[in-house]
Amino acid sequence: MGVGSPDGADALTIAGRPMRSRLIVGTGGFPSLQVLADALAASGSELATVALRRIDPAAEGSLTDVLQQAGVSLLPNTAGCHTARDAVLTARLAREAFDTDWIKLEVIGDQDTLLPDAAELLLAAEELVADGFVVLPYTTDDPVLARRLEDIGCAAVMPLGSPIGSGMGIRNPYNIALVREAVAIPVVLDAGVGTASDAALAMELGCDGVMSASAIARAQDPVAMATAMRLAVQSGRLAVGAGRIPRRTYASPSTPDEGLAEFG
Amino acid sequence: MIRVNGQAGGANAGESVSALLARLRVAADSRGVAVAVDGEVVPRSAWDSFILSETASVEVLGAMQGG
């Protein structure tokens, strides 16, 4: 089966690891661990992000246990880091805590927009790749920066559709398509997804996967939205493989004129 | 004064990282916990042997929902 086949043959492979699901779920913002567990099951995702924060001895329940029971692998992130130094240290701590080389690298350059700091991002990515990490950088929708990240040795790029948590969808679809053309590594749309159609559009633009956090976690019904995202990612992928018709200005009849009756 | 997760006085100079973690009820084999002292990772394998100095700044981190 080819592109878009839902039987698992069309896997998303990052750093040699195939995943049947092309949806990555962010665990932030869920009202409870139970809702997170139910949403993960509904999403079909095999990979979910976690952050590293000061432990709270009073906290109830274990996030890592929930993810383990869900059969989902952890993708630690460096959320909240503003410098390459902090991001690299956080990645090394995450490797120690979660026993994984994978890191979703975020280096934030602006507190209001949470846009990435490209210069610090490149520095951190270079150091982490050299240290043996599988680096998945959260980046702008800049195809040149994406290529630089690929050249450094990143395993994928995660361009934003719009600012984190904004739910504004994909503000510059042409750039996302250009990012897809610019690199050979997987492109996973990250940030900005607000609803299922945004995820489908990302896939139709050629993205290899979609990450969704707030759109699922903060939906009125997170489990239903997780299902919607799963189906949207599959739909968008199937549509790419199916090959859409070209856009045209004027109508093109779907019913032939040939054999049309003449009524005098 | 030792600082643990930003709080002064959370540990005693001369005690190991393991001893501190035991008081924080973090099991020695617990997955999902990492420790940094003065901006450097203290690997799990060194928790027993790493002795905190009088001015150590300790971060004890774990998994949190995010991203």
Side-chain angles (χ1 to χ4, degrees):
Chain A
M1 297 288 283
V3 167
S5 75
D7 64 356
D10 177 39
L12 166 61
T13 301
I14 298 177
R17 182 192 157 174
M19 287 174 281
R20 289 168 59 107
S21 168
R22 291 173 176 270
L23 176 60
I24 300 173
V25 173
T27 62
F30 282 89
S32 72
L33 288 176
Q34 186 58 53
V35 175
L36 169 61
D38 293 345
L40 282 171
S43 76
S45 178
E46 296 168 39
L47 195 61
T49 62
V50 293
L52 204 57
R53 290 290 182 271
R54 288 170 168 170
I55 62 161
D56 175 7
E60 286 180 20
S62 163
L63 175 59
T64 49
D65 286 352
V66 166
L67 296 178
Q68 195 169 18
Q69 282 158 19
V72 173
S73 296
L74 273 72
L75 175 60
N77 68 26
T78 62
C81 291
H82 285 72
T83 63
R85 175 188 173 273
D86 284 0
V88 168
L89 179 58
T90 300
R92 287 182 176 141
L93 286 162
R95 178 164 65 181
E96 187 67 21
F98 306 124
D99 207 20
T100 174
D101 290 333
W102 286 43
I103 191 75
K104 185 189 166 207
L105 178 62
E106 298 180 31
V107 190
I108 300 305
D110 177 69
Q111 203 49 45
D112 291 327
T113 58
L114 299 180
L115 288 171
D117 183 323
E120 293 290 311
L121 183 68
L122 285 168
L123 283 174
E126 200 159 22
E127 194 167 343
L128 289 171
V129 167
D131 199 9
F133 281 88
V134 172
V135 180
L136 289 74
Y138 165 63
T139 179
T140 52
D141 59 4
D142 174 357
V144 178
L145 180 57
R147 196 178 289 140
R148 292 287 298 270
L149 289 162
E150 179 180 45
D151 290 346
I152 280 173
C154 291
V157 285
M158 301 183 71
L160 58 87
S162 53
I164 292 170
S166 70
M168 292 285 282
I170 299 172
R171 301 320 302 157
N172 195 339
Y174 300 96
N175 266 39
I176 295 297
L178 286 173
V179 168
R180 177 56 289 174
E181 284 179 32
V183 297
I185 52 178
V187 175
V188 178
L189 187 95
D190 183 10
V193 170
T195 187
S197 53
D198 297 330
L201 175 60
M203 298 307 292
E204 289 171 17
L205 290 168
C207 289
D208 303 275
V210 172
M211 160 137 183
S212 175
S214 306
I216 297 174
R218 300 191 204 281
Q220 290 187 26
D221 184 342
V223 179
M225 188 58 87
T227 305
M229 290 296 178
R230 171 171 58 81
L231 295 172
V233 169
Q234 285 179 1
S235 292
R237 181 70 178 169
L238 279 164
V240 167
R244 62 154 298 147
I245 60 167
R247 290 183 174 85
R248 58 172 82 219
T249 302
Y250 297 105
S252 171
S254 54
T255 306
D257 281 344
E258 194 184 315
L260 185 67
E262 290 181 29
F263 298 113
Chain B
M1 182 72 87
I2 295 179
R3 297 182 75 83
V4 178
N5 285 353
Q7 302 281 328
N12 305 312
E15 77 175 349
S16 67
V17 168
S18 290
L20 167 63
L21 292 177
R23 208 169 44 251
L24 292 174
R25 300 204 177 118
V26 176
D29 62 347
S30 74
R31 188 172 134 81
V33 175
V35 177
V37 176
D38 298 330
E40 298 285 342
V41 181
V42 180
R44 193 171 294 263
S45 58
W47 285 358
D48 280 339
S49 58
F50 195 103
I51 302 300
L52 299 173
S53 74
E54 281 178 22
T55 58
S57 176
V58 186
E59 295 286 340
V60 183
L61 307 176
M64 166 93 62
Q65 287 176 242

